[in-house]
Amino acid sequence: MAMDVVDYEIFGNEMQYVEVELDPGEAAIGEAGAMMLMEDGIQMDTIFGDGSAQQGGLFGKLLGAGKRLLTGESLFTTIFHNEGRNKSRVAFAAPYPGKIVPVDLTTVGGTLICQKDSFLCAARGVSLGIAFNRKLGTGLFGGEGFIMQKLEGDGMAFVHAGGTLAVRDLAPGEVLRVDTGCVVAFQPSVDFDIQYVGKLKSALFSGEGLFFATLRGPGRVWLQSLPLSRLANRIVMAAPAAGGQSRGEGSLLGGLLDGDNE
Amino acid sequence: MQARLFGPGLPAAGQACEWQTDSGRIQWAGGETRLPSTGGALRSAGFDLAGLELSWADDAGRWALQVLAAADATTLRATPPAGWEEAFAQLAGTTRRHRKGRALGWSALALFLAAPLLLLAGFFAFSDGIAGWIAQRVPQAQEEALGEASFRAMQASLKLRDEGEAARAVREIGSRLTQGSAYRYRFHVVEDKAINAFAMPGGIVVVHSGLINATRTPEELAGVLAHEVQHIELRHSLKGLIKQAGLSAVWALATGDVGGALAGEAAQRMMSLSFSRDAEREADNAGFEALLRAGIDPAGMPAFFDTLAKQAGSAPELLSTHPASEARRDALAGRLSSVTNRRFEPLPYRPWPPAP
């Protein structure tokens, strides 16, 4: 499969974007809505499916689109070609505070399993598929559902992690227990399962939810410290419209003098 | 075969390697090792669990060799490497058990999801019986209170005409028909051109003046009254109410749709329609018997349906939930022909219809 080799640079600290340098004729695919800027010479094109060479014919394209529907993504992928005669750059921005994780798929064996909405962009030729976990528990109780996204190919892929990124290398047999929402990506060599917390008291009152994800080595796992859902929860809870208060902002009269709260 | 090796001194993300399954040699750029023929641990690997992982320990640490391609894993299962036969046999056993467990799990889940639908279907199938059973257990006083309340709610919109010849005839025929009943009956005449009459639970019967004018003999009116009285005696409206309420409750329970969605409403309406068709037939037959018992000529009943059938277009209100007038007329005419003693004393009120 023809895979485009891309150079990249990541900017920013907590709200990042990645600039991908495309040689003439090279291309990158991006998640719909992630594009931030593109230089002269870059042409944007929307294609049905994911643009990998694997799917020939209308049926293959429909199948690819169906898979994307299942993982909750849009049917179309945007592909960015460099049609000029010079190197040009296109940038993709992360949708919420966090870190962009560059993964060279060759170093992880050609496949990466990642959370459904974490994909940001990749070199053309990387195929976006779905991976089903056949364990019943994972399907019913995994925060991310039993369908995850599978990135296949041998180029660069960029996924996005909320908050701070943690990369852990698990030795054969080593087990790491993780909040189900904190898993961003892992190598397919890692065994992914969902485990009940075990104690009723913890399940009800610890606030950690009823289930852990257990990741069993060998292989590399990428974790995020702040899943978007958690951040969104706090924001909604603090919103004045939902009865939140602007406490802790140093206002003497608890927000009375705050012009914003009129 | 292509595999990936994890272990001490190798990259954390694993090392792609070539494994010669017959000799057990594992080679990669910059090193090689050997699969121990003493066996080790085996498990299904990969996110979709289609692959295999062989792991073992030596002095240096723990090693894991993974084959994730499904085709290669199938080959391995068919011909396990030397020394690992027992582990492969064990894994095959647990996989079979897991498959069984999974099937059981899915069936339980399906049953759980289908339970509300089964409940709904059950309720639909047995609703008549259930509603009838509950209706039998409602005390008469409650029924009367219910009827009184609904009559009072309607009263504002009704123009009562309880004086006059027509109202007197209705009351007198009604009391003849309800002799010996446990209910205390009240008959009202209402000024309304629509050909209609209705019964409320507990013994209230309302007759429209339009219906009285449409009858040609007092016997025809008696037929209608006998029919309405039987609705009360057989507790039809109460059963209908119970069924409607129960259906809404079950529908809300099954679908979580408390307001009652379109489908629910439609189903309910359909139910009440079929209910009243059965109920109408029942009331016709019981009314016919009541006429015979009261010594009133039952020929008035089929005769009135004949009148109705002839002007079906102009009387949609009475007909909407009722079986076709022709069918009812024919059924009653059939009953009439089997009555042997046909000598009845004609009702007095002549000329008919009286002025309201």
Side-chain angles (χ1 to χ4, degrees):
Chain A
M1 184 192 328
M3 194 71 59
D4 291 347
V5 183
V6 294
D7 298 319
Y8 69 93
E9 202 175 341
I10 292 175
F11 296 91
N13 296 314
E14 306 307 329
M15 316 237 182
Q16 298 186 319
Y17 71 95
V18 58
E19 248 184 40
V20 176
E21 189 175 78
L22 298 174
D23 291 335
E26 277 186 349
I29 54 172
E31 186 56 27
M35 198 278 289
M36 172 189 160
L37 64 88
M38 45 188 188
E39 291 178 354
D40 226 15
I42 304 268
Q43 291 278 320
M44 191 174 94
D45 203 0
T46 301
I47 52 163
F48 198 61
D50 62 10
S52 72
Q54 284 176 334
Q55 6 169 296
L58 183 67
F59 183 72
K61 278 184 181 159
L62 277 176
L63 207 66
K67 283 178 181 175
R68 288 171 64 76
L69 259 189
L70 264 180
T71 54
E73 286 178 75
S74 54
L75 279 179
F76 295 91
T77 327
T78 321
I79 185 158
F80 300 85
H81 313 261
N82 185 355
E83 300 288 349
R85 263 173 283 161
N86 303 314
K87 288 186 172 184
S88 281
R89 292 179 156 222
V90 55
F92 301 94
Y96 52 94
K99 297 284 183 194
I100 292 173
V101 190
V103 181
D104 185 352
L105 291 180
T106 50
T107 65
V108 296
T111 309
L112 185 72
I113 308 289
C114 63
Q115 199 201 88
K116 279 179 294 189
D117 51 1
S118 63
F119 173 73
L120 194 63
C121 62
R124 179 177 58 185
V126 171
S127 85
L128 310 176
I130 50 171
F132 287 98
N133 190 306
R134 283 204 260 143
K135 291 178 189 163
L136 188 66
T138 318
L140 292 181
F141 308 119
E144 308 308 331
F146 68 133
I147 299 174
M148 292 187 89
Q149 196 163 48
K150 185 165 66 174
L151 306 182
E152 263 176 318
D154 48 14
M156 288 298 298
F158 299 88
V159 296
H160 180 254
T164 301
L165 176 73
V167 184
R168 295 295 285 260
D169 288 327
L170 302 178
E174 188 181 345
V175 173
L176 191 63
R177 272 169 296 174
V178 182
D179 181 274
T180 51
C182 288
V183 179
V184 176
F186 49 89
Q187 267 187 282
S189 61
V190 174
D191 183 59
F192 179 80
D193 203 357
I194 297 295
Q195 198 182 35
Y196 175 56
V197 165
K199 290 184 191 142
L200 192 65
K201 212 162 38 165
S202 319
L204 295 178
F205 303 116
S206 75
E208 298 293 347
L210 292 177
F211 302 94
F212 292 130
T214 49
L215 299 167
R216 188 166 172 276
R220 179 169 291 176
V221 301
W222 289 264
L223 307 172
Q224 58 187 0
S225 69
L226 184 62
L228 177 63
S229 55
R230 204 176 285 176
L231 180 66
N233 251 346
R234 285 304 172 96
I235 290 176
V236 168
M237 263 157 52
Q245 295 176 350
S246 57
R247 245 188 259 137
E249 294 192 344
S251 175
L252 250 182
L253 289 174
L256 268 184
L257 300 176
D258 256 330
D260 287 345
N261 289 349
E262 296 277 338
Chain B
M1 100 179 22
Q2 289 289 325
R4 206 165 176 84
L5 184 67
F6 300 80
L10 292 174
Q15 171 70 53
C17 60
E18 176 67 32
W19 171 30
Q20 284 165 357
T21 45
D22 43 354
S23 68
R25 244 172 71 167
I26 304 165
Q27 288 174 294
W28 64 93
E32 70 163 83
T33 185
R34 191 168 283 278
L35 184 76
S37 56
T38 49
L42 182 74
R43 68 176 180 95
S44 297
F47 190 66
D48 55 1
L49 297 181
L52 287 171
E53 181 195 274
L54 298 83
S55 61
W56 65 95
D58 63 11
D59 299 339
R62 250 198 114 62
W63 299 81
L65 182 72
Q66 291 199 346
V67 175
L68 294 187
D72 287 347
T74 310
T75 317
L76 266 184
R77 282 195 189 95
T79 51
W84 291 73
E85 293 85 354
E86 201 180 321
F88 271 83
Q90 234 168 36
L91 182 71
T94 46
T95 313
R96 254 195 307 277
R97 269 205 305 283
H98 281 175
R99 202 167 294 149
K100 245 181 242 168
R102 216 158 29 230
L104 203 69
W106 280 116
S107 326
L109 184 71
L111 198 69
F112 178 72
L113 292 177
L117 291 177
L118 286 178
L119 187 69
L120 199 65
F123 196 81
F124 266 99
F126 299 110
S127 54
D128 279 345
I130 297 169
W133 186 84
I134 298 173
Q136 293 303 314
R137 274 147 190 81
V138 175
Q140 195 181 328
Q142 296 263 316
E143 207 183 337
E144 279 165 8
L146 182 70
E148 190 59 44
S150 25
F151 181 65
R152 218 170 298 136
M154 281 180 77
Q155 210 164 9
S157 61
L158 297 178
K159 275 187 259 171
L160 287 182
R161 291 286 177 275
D162 284 336
E163 287 83 35
E165 197 62 19
R168 192 173 66 85
V170 166
R171 273 198 301 275
E172 284 177 10
I173 300 172
S175 63
R176 261 180 86 170
L177 283 168
T178 56
Q179 227 136 52
S181 166
Y183 292 99
R184 287 190 303 273
Y185 278 92
R186 277 161 55 194
F187 295 88
H188 293 285
V189 176
V190 160
E191 187 167 333
D192 193 326
K193 272 196 217 117
I195 303 178
N196 198 11
F198 52 88
M200 287 175 177
I204 300 171
V205 178
V206 177
V207 185
H208 283 186
S209 57
L211 184 132
I212 298 175
N213 291 331
T215 52
R216 286 166 305 174
T217 61
E219 279 78 10
E220 289 188 17
L221 176 72
V224 173
L225 286 177
H227 170 92
E228 295 302 335
V229 162
Q230 290 313 312
H231 275 319
I232 292 167
E233 291 289 325
L234 298 168
R235 297 189 159 195
H236 281 158
S237 19
L238 191 66
K239 275 184 207 167
L241 272 175
I242 291 169
K243 209 154 106 164
Q244 291 266 342
L247 267 183
S248 315
V250 172
W251 181 263
L253 201 71
T255 61
D257 171 20
V258 178
L262 226 57
E265 299 253 321
Q268 268 184 25
R269 206 150 302 146
M270 209 175 65
M271 292 294 292
S272 72
L273 188 70
S274 76
F275 184 93
S276 50
R277 276 170 187 258
D278 280 346
E280 295 303 333
R281 216 164 293 128
E282 209 182 347
D284 278 351
N285 294 338
F288 191 92
E289 298 302 323
L291 286 171
L292 284 180
R293 273 200 307 278
I296 300 173
D297 188 357
M301 223 168 171
F304 183 62
F305 285 122
D306 193 44
T307 313
L308 277 185
K310 279 181 186 139
Q311 47 170 291
S314 66
E317 206 170 337
L318 185 68
L319 296 174
S320 60
T321 57
H322 288 40
S325 297
E326 287 90 344
R328 295 171 69 184
R329 177 196 61 200
D330 296 345
L332 287 168
R335 273 184 100 85
L336 188 64
S337 63
S338 65
V339 176
T340 44
N341 176 16
R342 294 243 204 129
R343 265 176 303 153
F344 298 99
E345 194 158 320
L347 288 166
Y349 323 99
R350 316 273 168 176
W352 189 266

